[in-house]
């Protein structure tokens, strides 16, 4: 059995932790588990037989990214799968969102993912093989009030991934976007900032933001099941790996409804759309 090296960002909680625990128990996986504070990764000690590397990593710090990637390849000799999981949320109306807070969210959700990917691509190109799994969200497919800037980060991840996948397809490198709906992680709780509406016109959205906090850890999605699905797709379905993988019934329903509606609109506007071209 060929042992592959997986590097996961953000393994202290949520999807990253579930994936790390799942992979740590596999004989065919070398695991590089990263977090800003590695003392939060002691849960992995019971599984470690020399195949686990804990690495300090803040994805907004390019020096730490370079160090983590080098440590992975130095210890295990390859880097076969990157899971770009680290991410933050932000709830607030567009007009009232804190600019510094949402800029930092872009630094984590978008630029952190970009810099991690750039750091591993040379190794994967030299290997002529590699899989990069980018955590997007149902929020990268459909939009809801009070999440405008979070949507912006996930739509950026979707577009960047789609384009890059085409650029490196002939290098043996594949991509998969994970687009979950509500899962029992810390995303809606500890991992999200929330700005309560103060402008009267937006008070109708106050309940949306409050419910996001009180509903944390009661969502239908099971991150352990998600971890098993991701492992199975990467390990057993690499040849036909889907670029888009919504996880959860709500995510699947929203994705299908959104694209069916958009397809209908595009078809209805077909004649108007092509009328903008110069005559052939």
């Amino acid at each position: 059995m060929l042992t592959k090296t997986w590097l996961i960002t953000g393994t202290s909680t949520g999807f990253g932790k579930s994936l790390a625990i799942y992979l740590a128990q596999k004989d065919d996986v070398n695991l590089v588990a990263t977090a800003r504070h590695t003392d939060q990764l002691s849960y992995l000690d019971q599984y470690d037989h020399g195949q686990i590397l804990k690495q300090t990593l803040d994805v907004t710090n390019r020096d730490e990214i370079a160090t983590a990637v080098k440590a992975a390849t130095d210890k295990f000799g390859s880097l076969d799968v990157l899971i770009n999981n680290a991410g933050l949320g932000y709830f607030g109306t567009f007009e009232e969102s804190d600019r510094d807070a949402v800029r930092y969210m872009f630094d984590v959700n978008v630029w952190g993912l970009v810099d991690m990917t750039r750091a591993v691509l040379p190794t994967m190109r030299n290997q002529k093989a590699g899989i990069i799994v980018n955590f997007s969200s149902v929020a990268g497919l459909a939009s809801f009030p009070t999440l405008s800037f979070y949507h912006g980060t996930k739509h950026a991840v979707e577009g960047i991934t789609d384009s890059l996948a085409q650029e490196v397809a002939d290098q043996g490198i594949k991509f998969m976007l994970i687009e979950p709906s509500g899962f029992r992680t810390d995303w809606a709780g500890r991992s999200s900032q929330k700005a309560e509406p103060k402008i009267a016109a937006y008070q109708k959205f106050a309940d949306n933001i409050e419910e996001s906090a009180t509903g944390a850890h009661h969502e239908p999605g099971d991150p352990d099941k998600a971890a098993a699905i991701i492992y199975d797709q990467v390990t057993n379905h690499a040849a036909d790996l889907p670029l888009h993988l919504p996880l959860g019934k709500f995510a699947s329903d929203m994705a299908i409804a959104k694209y069916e509606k958009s397809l209908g609109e595009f078809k209805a506007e077909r004649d108007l759309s092509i009328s903008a071209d110069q005559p052939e």
Side-chain angles (χ1 to χ4, degrees):
M1 183 180 293
L2 179 63
T3 299
K4 292 193 173 183
T5 301
W6 294 52
L7 189 158
I8 311 173
T9 66
T11 60
S12 59
T13 61
F15 286 115
K17 183 175 182 179
S18 288
L19 268 165
I21 292 171
Y22 190 85
L23 294 172
Q25 300 174 72
K26 296 293 180 181
D27 294 335
D28 61 344
V29 171
N30 294 320
L31 171 63
V32 184
T34 75
R36 285 182 295 175
H37 306 288
T38 54
D39 58 354
Q40 297 176 329
L41 306 182
S42 59
Y43 65 85
L44 289 171
D45 292 345
Q46 62 185 306
Y47 309 112
D48 192 1
H49 302 293
Q51 87 284 17
I52 297 174
L53 173 64
K54 300 176 189 175
Q55 190 67 37
T56 300
L57 177 60
D58 177 345
V59 296
T60 67
N61 185 319
R62 282 181 286 177
D63 289 338
E64 290 188 2
I65 288 173
T67 298
V69 171
K70 184 176 186 302
T73 54
D74 284 351
K75 182 173 178 63
F76 297 122
S78 68
L79 212 171
D80 305 291
V81 183
L82 169 65
I83 308 288
N84 278 314
N85 164 71
L88 301 172
Y90 188 94
F91 291 83
T93 65
F94 174 88
E95 193 173 352
E96 297 175 294
S97 293
D98 181 82
R99 193 173 187 278
D100 290 337
V102 297
R103 180 185 287 272
Y104 179 69
M105 180 174 61
F106 271 86
D107 286 341
V108 175
N109 293 6
V110 180
W111 288 109
L113 176 147
V114 165
D115 290 335
M116 281 300 309
T117 303
R118 282 178 165 171
V120 306
L121 279 175
T123 297
M124 291 184 173
R125 282 191 288 103
N126 288 336
Q127 296 170 170
K128 293 290 185 182
I131 292 176
I132 297 175
V133 177
N134 287 339
F135 266 81
S136 176
S137 167
V138 64
L141 302 171
S143 298
F144 314 100
T146 73
L147 285 165
S148 56
F149 291 103
Y150 180 71
H151 286 302
T153 67
K154 294 307 181 181
H155 279 273
V157 168
E158 295 268 333
I160 290 167
T161 303
D162 195 352
S163 179
L164 177 54
Q166 298 173 58
E167 292 177 3
V168 300
D170 62 347
Q171 301 294 314
I173 302 170
K174 296 193 173 186
F175 284 80
M176 181 166 64
L177 284 156
I178 301 298
E179 296 150 336
S181 44
F183 275 71
R184 296 184 184 185
T185 68
D186 279 341
W187 178 79
R190 182 188 62 83
S191 297
S192 292
Q193 289 193 45
K194 299 166 185 67
E196 296 292 337
K198 295 183 173 58
I199 297 173
Y202 301 132
Q203 284 299 310
K204 59 187 175 182
F205 297 118
D207 288 347
N208 296 45
I209 296 173
E210 177 64 26
E211 288 169 6
S212 72
T214 58
H217 301 288
H218 298 284
E219 301 89 344
D222 183 340
D224 294 339
K225 289 184 177 180
I229 290 170
I230 292 167
Y231 173 81
D232 178 64
Q233 288 295 308
V234 169
T235 304
N236 300 317
H237 301 280
D240 56 351
L241 197 69
L243 179 59
H244 296 272
L245 182 58
L247 288 182
K249 183 179 184 299
F250 181 76
S252 179
D253 288 349
M254 287 300 300
I256 292 169
K258 170 67 180 291
Y259 283 101
E260 285 182 342
K261 180 182 178 182
S262 294
L263 180 60
E265 291 172 347
F266 295 147
K267 287 182 174 180
E269 296 157 359
R270 171 71 174 168
D271 291 343
L272 178 62
S273 296
I274 64 178
S275 72
D277 290 344
Q278 290 282 355
E280 293 184 3

